[in-house]
Amino acid sequence: AQTVTQSQPEMSVQEAETVTLSCTYDTSENNYYLFWYKQPPSRQMILVIRQEAYKQQNATENRFSVNFQKAAKSFSLKISDSQLGDTAMYFCAFLGFKAAGNKLTFGGGTRVLVKP
Amino acid sequence: EAQVTQNPRYLITVTGKKLTVTCSQNMNHEYMSWYRQDPGLGLRQIYYSMNVEVTDKGDVPEGYKVSRKEKRNFPLILESPSPNQTSLYFCASSLWGEDTQYFGPGTRLTVL
């Protein structure tokens, strides 16, 4: 079974600065997807970024980028130029190609507070 | 607008009183799932469905039932709710073979 671990329960960052969230996972599969989801106070689950494991290039979406280290099973998220609207809970998630029911396996989450 | 809807958004109930949380999607997705979110545990899959009349257990199915009589709807049924089912519930849907999942807005359930 896959597991996803987010070791930082909470992080704070000053507006305009950079913060990096860590995520490690465990799997025996070679092909899979990794995601970062944002959950603001509205509780909506918002997809921030996705990475296909068979692509070596790290995914980037505007101010959000990942550092994907397949051998180390690590998938960190970097938020650059942090904005107040980035304040949210962030979840790392794993989806295996063989996942029954398209099941996402989530980490426990990291709460990010952006301070003015 | 493509979306997943859930109702109700908030519900407070008492132990043992049967309830249903509805989920509907308008994207003709085959896959639908229910997740529960608890502090420190992230989201965990309760049940999923791969198509009409095809459902199966996820990681935490105890105390829940589901049905898939129509492709667009996937209700979650708690026959006899207990306080340990107090949680935030999400419905999600996706196309067969696609990795992107669409989440509903969530239902905050409190069982007293």
Side-chain angles (χ1 to χ4, degrees):
Chain A
Q2 287 79 19
T3 59
V4 177
T5 302
Q6 295 178 245
S7 58
Q8 305 146 315
E10 291 187 4
M11 299 190 75
S12 64
V13 59
Q14 291 296 132
E15 196 174 6
E17 296 192 342
T18 295
V19 63
T20 299
L21 282 58
S22 66
C23 172
T24 58
Y25 59 94
D26 188 25
T27 183
S28 58
E29 296 186 46
N30 191 48
N31 293 317
Y32 47 87
Y33 299 97
L34 293 162
F35 307 88
W36 279 98
Y37 281 89
K38 172 185 178 181
Q39 187 180 54
S42 67
R43 303 199 311 262
Q44 182 69 41
M45 293 292 288
I46 302 167
L47 179 62
V48 174
I49 201 164
R50 67 186 281 276
Q51 175 80 41
E52 299 165 2
Y54 52 88
K55 290 186 177 180
Q56 291 189 335
Q57 186 173 3
N58 289 325
T60 299
E61 288 287 340
N62 300 314
R63 297 181 295 106
F64 298 88
S65 61
V66 296
N67 183 5
F68 173 49
Q69 302 289 329
K70 191 173 184 179
K73 296 180 181 175
S74 171
F75 184 61
S76 62
L77 175 70
K78 184 170 78 171
I79 307 174
S80 303
D81 186 25
S82 296
Q83 301 176 359
L84 296 178
D86 295 333
T87 291
M89 180 73 86
Y90 288 81
F91 292 100
C92 179
F94 172 99
L95 175 64
F97 273 34
K98 303 174 187 174
N102 241 19
K103 182 183 79 174
L104 285 165
T105 300
F106 286 85
T110 297
R111 188 173 302 280
V112 173
L113 174 62
V114 180
K115 298 179 178 179
Chain B
E1 179 191 356
Q3 60 181 348
V4 179
T5 57
Q6 293 179 227
N7 283 292
R9 296 288 310 279
Y10 302 89
L11 179 60
I12 301 174
T13 189
V14 295
T15 299
K17 186 176 181 182
K18 181 179 178 179
L19 66 92
T20 299
V21 184
T22 64
C23 172
S24 183
Q25 49 91 8
N26 62 1
M27 297 168 279
N28 203 37
H29 286 171
E30 291 85 9
Y31 277 115
M32 296 186 76
S33 292
W34 277 102
Y35 292 84
R36 61 176 288 172
Q37 180 183 340
D38 301 291
L41 298 178
L43 283 74
R44 294 175 292 167
Q45 193 186 57
I46 302 170
Y47 267 95
Y48 66 90
S49 170
M50 293 191 288
N51 217 322
V52 175
E53 303 292 0
V54 182
T55 64
D56 207 345
K57 297 177 180 178
D59 292 330
V60 287
E62 293 77 21
Y64 304 94
K65 285 176 57 177
V66 293
S67 68
R68 187 97 181 267
K69 293 183 171 55
E70 302 168 284
K71 195 171 186 179
R72 63 184 294 125
N73 296 324
F74 190 45
L76 179 70
I77 303 157
L78 285 71
E79 296 260 355
S80 182
S82 62
N84 65 10
Q85 293 178 299
T86 292
S87 188
L88 178 59
Y89 291 86
F90 286 97
C91 180
S93 72
S94 60
L95 278 170
W96 183 279
E98 294 289 324
D99 59 284
T100 301
Q101 299 198 27
Y102 295 79
F103 283 86
T107 295
R108 169 69 70 185
L109 172 65
T110 301
V111 183
L112 302 175

